[in-house]
Amino acid sequence: MTEPGQSIKTASDQDVVAAARTGDEAAYRELVRRYERPVFSLIYRMVRNRELAEDLSQETFIKVLNALDSYRPEFKFSSWVFKIANNAAIDHLRRRELDTLSLEGSPHADTPEKLEATALQIGEKAESALDAVANKELGGEIEQAIAKLRPEYRTCILLRHVEGRAYEEIAEILDLPLGTVKTYIHRARNELRIALAHLRESDQ
Amino acid sequence: MTQWPIQHLTADDLDAFHSASLSPTAHEHLDACAECRALVAQDSALVAALEKLPSFEPAAGFSERVMARVRPAPVLARVYHRQQFALAATLAIVLGASIVWSFFNRAELLSWLNHSAAAIGRTLWGAVRVLASNLTEQPWFASLRQFAASSGRVVLLGGGLLVGYGAAVFALRRLLAPPSRPVPHADW
C-alpha cells in the first residue's frame, strides 16, 4: 500500500493496484495514466485505425479496472494489461477477417455481376478523416512493413522492440512457449529486413 | 590458415549480439565472415529503428472517458465492504452476548435444553410409531411377512439382488470404457 506521505506517482504498480482495490479513485487514474500510451500504441499499430484503437483501448482499461480483484499480484501488472489489450486487438482482427469474407459477395450469387453487386452492398466506404490521420501517422516504411506482418508476429515484435518487454514477459502475455515467442520475433525481424531491403539498396 | 566450418550466426547469436553477450567463438566467426557482419549490421539497424518508433497518445480526455465508465465500481466495492463489515460485527456482537448470557443463566439454559431434548425425543418416537402402524396396515404386508418367514426364500432373493447388482456394475463399466478404435469426427 502507498504510505500517506508517498506520492502515488512514484509507487510501484503493485502498490497502486492495492490502493485501487480499496476504491481509491486516484489510483485508478494513475493506472490509466501509466499505461494509456503503451496500450494505445500497441492497439493502434495492430488495428491501424485511430478511432477503433481508442475504443479498444477504452474497452481494455474498463476490463482491467473492473477486474482488479481477479488480478494475481505474483504476475507483472504490465503483462496482465498487455494481455487484455492484445486479446482485444486480436479479437477485433478476427472479427474483421470474418467480415472481409462476407465482403467478397453473396455465396448465392451465380454470376460475376451479382457477386460484385452483393460485395459492394456491405462495408465499402471512403477514407475518413481519422483514417487519413492514421495513414499519415503510420505511413513510414517501417510502419508499413510492420502492418504487413502476421498479427502474432506483429504483437511479438512490437512488445519486444517497441515496448522493450523481455521474451519471458511476452511469453506470459501471449500464453505462448518461450521458444515460440523467440521464433516469431526472429521470423518477424527476418521479414522486416527483407521488406526494408530496398531502403538499404537506395542508400548505397 | 584458420579453417572455419560454415557455422553462420544463429538467431540466438543475433540476440546475444544485441545484448552484448555474444560468445567468443561467435565473435571470431563474425570477424571472419562478411555475410554475418552484413546480417548483424542490418539487424542492428532494424532494431535501432524499431526502438525509435514513436509512441502514440489517445485523444485528450481519454482517462476521463474511461473513469466515467468505471467510477461506480470502487464506490460499490466500498459499500459492499461496509455491508460485509456491518454483518460480521452484528454476528460477533450477537454471539458474544449469547455466550455472556449463558454464563450467568446456566440453570435456566440447562432446563431449556432438557425440555427441548425431551420434546424432540417424544416427537421422534411418535413418528416411528405412526410409520410402523401405517406399514403393518398395508394390504401387502401380510404376504411380505409370509415370504420373509422362510429363510431360504430370503437368501434366494438376496442372492438374486446381488447378481443383478453385479451385472449392472459390469454393464456400466463396459459402457464407460474408452473405445479401442478412434471414433470418426470425435475430435471436433
Side-chain angles (χ1 to χ4, degrees), chain A residues 29-40:
Chain A
R29 286 180 187 280
E30 176 60 17
L31 290 175
V32 177
R33 189 194 65 78
R34 283 183 189 191
Y35 288 99
E36 63 182 344
R37 281 180 79 110
V39 162
F40 178 74

Side-chain angles (χ1 to χ4, degrees), chain B residues 75-122:
Chain B
V75 175
L76 274 179
R78 253 181 297 184
V79 169
Y80 181 65
H81 282 304
R82 248 183 250 151
Q83 281 177 346
Q84 270 187 324
F85 179 77
L87 187 68
T90 310
L91 283 175
I93 289 167
V94 168
L95 195 68
S98 64
I99 289 169
V100 170
W101 181 87
S102 64
F103 273 124
F104 291 103
N105 300 279
R106 267 190 184 178
E108 201 173 342
L109 188 68
L110 279 174
S111 81
W112 277 5
L113 284 177
N114 286 337
H115 180 74
S116 306
I120 290 168
R122 272 197 304 274

Side-chain angles (χ1 to χ4, degrees), chain A residues 20-25 28-29 32-33 36-38 40-41 44-45 50 53-54 57-59 61-62 65-66 69 137-138 142-143 146 157-158 160-163 167 182 185-186 188-190 192-193 196 200, chain B residues 10-16 18-19 38-75 77-78 81:
Chain A
R21 276 176 163 172
T22 65
D24 183 349
E25 199 179 307
Y28 272 63
R29 286 180 187 280
V32 177
R33 189 194 65 78
E36 63 182 344
R37 281 180 79 110
F40 178 74
S41 297
Y44 187 26
R45 284 195 168 99
R50 198 163 234 287
E54 290 240 3
S57 305
Q58 208 169 308
E59 195 183 298
F61 280 106
I62 289 164
L65 298 179
N66 282 338
D69 283 338
E137 280 180 329
L138 300 171
I142 193 160
E143 297 278 13
I146 291 171
I157 203 89
L158 290 172
R160 175 75 187 129
H161 293 298
V162 181
E163 298 304 329
Y167 283 123
K182 284 186 177 180
I185 290 173
H186 294 143
R189 285 215 306 256
N190 210 25
L192 289 176
R193 278 199 308 269
L196 300 170
R200 287 192 301 275
Chain B
T10 62
D12 286 338
D13 289 331
L14 277 179
D15 276 341
H18 294 314
S19 59
L39 177 70
V40 165
Q42 288 164 18
D43 206 55
S44 301
L46 174 68
V47 168
L50 287 169
E51 282 166 1
K52 276 187 209 144
L53 283 178
S55 71
F56 296 110
E57 205 171 353
F62 176 79
S63 82
E64 295 306 320
R65 288 194 293 281
V66 171
M67 289 307 295
R69 291 177 62 186
V70 293
R71 194 171 289 139
V75 175
R78 253 181 297 184
H81 282 304

